[in-house]
Amino acid sequence: MPLKSRIERAMIAAIAEGQGADAPPKLASALDYAVNPGGARIRPTICLSVALACGDDQPDIADAAATSIELIHCASLVHDDMPCFDNADTRRGKPSVHKAYGEALALLTGDSLIIASFETLARVADRDPKRAIELIRVLGQSTGMPGGICAGQGWESEEKIDLSAYHRAKTGALFTAATRMGAAAAGHDPAPWTELGARIGEAFQVADDLRDALYDESVLGKPAHQDEINGRPNAVSELGVRGAIKRLEDILSGAISSIPSCPGEAMLAEMVRKTAERLMPVLPTIQAAE
């Protein structure tokens, strides 16, 4: 089954679990609204790609790992968009959850998606308890304190930001989780996969900084120029457009060389190369910015 089909099937099942029994209708609707349409599903795709490269001997566990990461990611977007953080009116080309459902339901939607991510892993624990515990541990580390996405959001409330720690937590944590959990889901040691996830995460952060600086809301599907508006440190302000692009190229080159030895090493290298093509801004946009 194609990876996209695996991911969407697993996401539908996870959301359906939260909409069952006597669920309040508005919150049940908001859960689906927050995760669909799902964009590129980059993080779960990376997770499943690593699992496949490592043998993918327990596909149900790998699907649960990929789904749990995407649920956490979607939860973070719901919370990021709220007035207390970015105050963004749109996400993925439609009104953000707090605009569509109100702030109270947006808060509960994000919370419910976080809980659903861990429930998704718990439901496959009987297949291989050891793997499930490792997956829950990695996801917890990548979500909470001191180095998960909650920490990343927390850095934005500090007077002095540790830029490296901020980017590792805000963007890199879930990419590191994706590679580590993909390996763990297939019964491999997750530790050697940390560098690949960190490099991909850093690449996405630089690419996001470039997109925020170069594109408008009609292209992004969300408010543009948020780094400048909110005074956030970013690669473009630090390095300039050309410098940020060179940094992105260097990171992606290092990502390919960091892939651990595994049966699917060549396949993963090709995935990283295709990812690089998608991340690189188009030349006319770059020239217009200079």
Side-chain angles (χ1 to χ4, degrees):
M1 183 183 294
L3 295 189
K4 183 172 178 56
S5 298
R6 284 180 63 175
I7 293 165
E8 296 306 328
R9 183 185 66 178
M11 289 291 293
I12 289 170
I15 294 301
E17 287 283 345
Q19 296 175 320
D22 297 321
K26 289 182 181 178
L27 183 54
S29 173
L31 293 181
D32 181 74
Y33 187 91
V35 302
N36 292 306
R41 306 288 199 208
I42 295 293
R43 293 155 191 82
T45 298
I46 292 170
C47 180
L48 287 185
S49 296
V50 171
L52 282 166
C54 292
D56 197 26
D57 63 332
Q58 297 243 32
D60 287 350
I61 294 180
D63 288 351
T67 301
S68 69
I69 295 168
E70 184 67 4
L71 289 170
I72 290 287
H73 173 58
C74 291
S76 75
L77 300 182
V78 174
H79 285 166
D80 283 353
D81 289 341
M82 292 183 67
C84 58
F85 291 118
D86 288 356
N87 195 25
D89 291 347
T90 57
R91 170 68 66 176
R92 292 170 173 166
K94 65 180 185 180
S96 50
V97 175
H98 74 273
K99 282 294 181 180
Y101 289 87
E103 288 184 41
L105 282 177
L107 179 62
L108 292 173
T109 297
D111 291 348
S112 296
L113 292 174
I114 293 169
I115 294 166
S117 70
F118 289 95
E119 286 182 333
T120 298
L121 294 175
R123 280 195 291 272
V124 297
D126 60 334
R127 315 287 174 83
D128 191 319
K130 184 177 180 180
R131 291 189 197 186
I133 290 171
E134 179 66 11
L135 291 170
I136 290 169
R137 183 182 70 84
V138 173
L139 187 63
Q141 289 175 337
S142 302
T143 302
M145 287 284 282
I149 57 173
C150 289
Q153 196 73 48
W155 274 111
E156 295 181 4
S157 296
E158 298 291 334
E159 291 184 7
K160 184 177 181 180
I161 297 176
D162 182 328
L163 185 59
S164 178
Y166 170 56
H167 284 168
R168 278 198 308 273
K170 173 85 172 175
T171 304
L174 287 188
F175 284 102
T176 303
T179 53
R180 294 175 67 201
M181 291 175 71
H188 286 232
D189 180 3
W193 293 89
T194 302
E195 182 179 354
L196 174 63
R199 286 184 177 275
I200 294 175
E202 186 179 1
F204 267 81
Q205 180 63 61
V206 175
D208 191 60
D209 290 350
L210 281 162
R211 287 170 60 81
D212 184 70
L214 298 176
Y215 295 119
D216 59 26
E217 184 171 343
S218 65
V219 175
L220 295 177
K222 62 180 182 178
H225 314 301
Q226 290 299 293
D227 288 338
E228 181 180 356
I229 291 170
N230 293 302
R232 296 194 193 111
N234 63 88
V236 175
S237 63
E238 182 180 348
L239 303 171
V241 173
R242 290 285 181 182
I245 290 172
K246 178 63 168 60
R247 177 62 182 152
L248 179 57
E249 292 170 342
D250 291 343
I251 295 166
L252 289 167
S253 176
I256 292 174
S257 64
S258 74
I259 296 173
S261 179
C262 61
E265 187 174 345
M267 177 270 290
L268 279 178
E270 182 60 23
M271 182 203 73
V272 174
R273 277 190 284 269
K274 288 182 178 179
T275 299
E277 293 173 3
R278 290 197 301 268
L279 289 178
M280 209 59 65
V282 296
L283 188 60
T285 304
I286 298 169
Q287 292 172 333
E290 294 179 334

